[in-house]
Amino acid sequence: QVELLESGGGSVQTGGSLTLSCAPAAYSYNDFCMAWFRQAPGKEREGVAFLSDRGEASYTDAVKGRFTVSRGNAKNILVLQMDNLTPEDTATYYCAAEINHCGTETWEYGYWGQGTQVTVSS
């Protein structure tokens, strides 16, 4: 069982920045495909940023140029740097992981964090 622990959510104003972190309870991320998803009230959960087991990053169009996903200085930490935030980014953000399979849909990930709230005010 892979337990994912998220941190770093909060409230900011439009144009602000937040950094989310995701740490495993007891595993290295090196063999995992990792992703950040988000879910706003009344909406389906959507993929935001993806990091393959080879270290290749990709993003949904809505966040390209504003969000950056990476492994932190401690290699078992997944980081999502979010800049130039807008109210449309308000959601609960979830870290997800899957071994040896890198996808963009929720059903492709078997391991999930508990979520961290991000609120952006205008």
Side-chain angles (χ1 to χ4, degrees), residues 24-67:
Y27 288 88
S28 168
Y29 282 146
N30 288 340
D31 296 329
F32 284 83
C33 299
M34 305 294 300
W36 289 95
F37 287 77
R38 67 185 180 187
Q39 187 167 18
K43 295 187 177 181
E44 293 186 354
R45 192 171 298 188
E46 63 173 354
V48 173
F50 311 92
L51 191 65
S52 76
D53 49 0
R54 298 180 181 181
E56 299 161 333
S58 58
Y59 305 89
T60 191
D61 286 345
V63 307
K64 281 181 181 177
R66 301 188 298 120
F67 289 14

Side-chain angles (χ1 to χ4, degrees), residues 9 47 113 121:
S121 59

